Amino acid sequence: MATDFAKTSLGLVMLLDIELASGTLRYATEDKPFVGGNFYEGRIAGVQGITEELSTLLRPLQRQGTVTVLLDNITAAGASGFFDSSIDGATDFWPNTTVTIRAGEGLTFADYSTVFQGRIRLKDGIRRTLDTLELVIEDRRARELSVPMPPTLF
């Protein structure tokens, strides 16, 4: 089913893939089973806007876009700490892991488009509260543009 842009409000579902060493974690704004066996658990509480920062003419600096994803940290029993064991455990290292965010609607994976790809920030990339887990994800292009280029003289 293709996205109907003529509707008064879009019912887009956000999908989040976190590629850890032990496997890929899949979360969505609502529970989503897909043909082929992948299941996205409804844990995304919100996706904040992609931000970019530019500098002044005298001080050239550009920071690539970041996006903040809020995940629900409440277990099915109603207690806090759903993600505590997976983050504090020694099996996976969450910072600097690849993250893909997709948006769309429908039950087939082809109905979703990639809207953001990046990595969880190494410094201050994960913030935990009792009921949420906040991931700050940097644009994948940030690494490509951080390579120093030689000055051009004309």
Side-chain angles (χ1 to χ4, degrees):
M1 167 173 94
T3 303
D4 182 10
F5 291 103
K7 291 193 299 188
T8 56
S9 66
L10 292 175
L12 294 179
V13 174
M14 303 298 280
L15 304 179
L16 176 72
D17 293 327
I18 304 172
E19 297 174 18
L20 298 172
S22 62
T24 302
L25 300 178
R26 293 178 174 89
Y27 300 110
T29 49
E30 60 186 50
D31 287 347
K32 269 300 179 191
F34 285 105
V35 177
N38 287 336
F39 179 76
Y40 285 78
E41 186 178 358
R43 289 228 161 253
I44 297 179
V47 177
Q48 297 177 356
I50 300 169
T51 58
E52 277 193 39
E53 183 180 327
L54 299 174
S55 62
T56 64
L57 180 64
L58 298 175
R59 188 170 169 236
L61 167 75
Q62 179 181 9
R63 289 194 182 158
Q64 283 307 112
T66 60
V67 66
T68 302
V69 177
L70 296 173
L71 298 174
D72 186 12
N73 199 21
I74 304 295
T75 64
S80 64
F82 178 82
F83 290 103
D84 291 354
S85 62
S86 63
I87 291 176
D88 295 335
T91 57
D92 287 318
F93 183 71
W94 281 51
N96 203 33
T97 57
T98 302
V99 174
T100 304
I101 300 174
R102 294 177 178 87
E105 59 182 2
L107 291 177
T108 61
F109 199 69
D111 294 330
Y112 292 80
S113 299
T114 300
V115 293
F116 192 86
Q117 286 182 322
R119 292 184 176 270
I120 299 173
R121 254 192 204 159
L122 277 172
K123 184 177 181 183
D124 299 327
I126 300 175
R127 295 184 206 116
R128 265 189 296 193
T129 64
L130 291 175
D131 55 351
T132 61
L133 177 73
E134 183 177 324
L135 302 176
V136 180
I137 304 162
E138 291 182 327
D139 194 337
R140 68 175 171 80
R141 297 171 293 175
R143 224 174 252 221
E144 298 166 5
L145 295 177
S146 66
V147 177
M149 299 298 286
T152 312
L153 302 173
F154 291 101

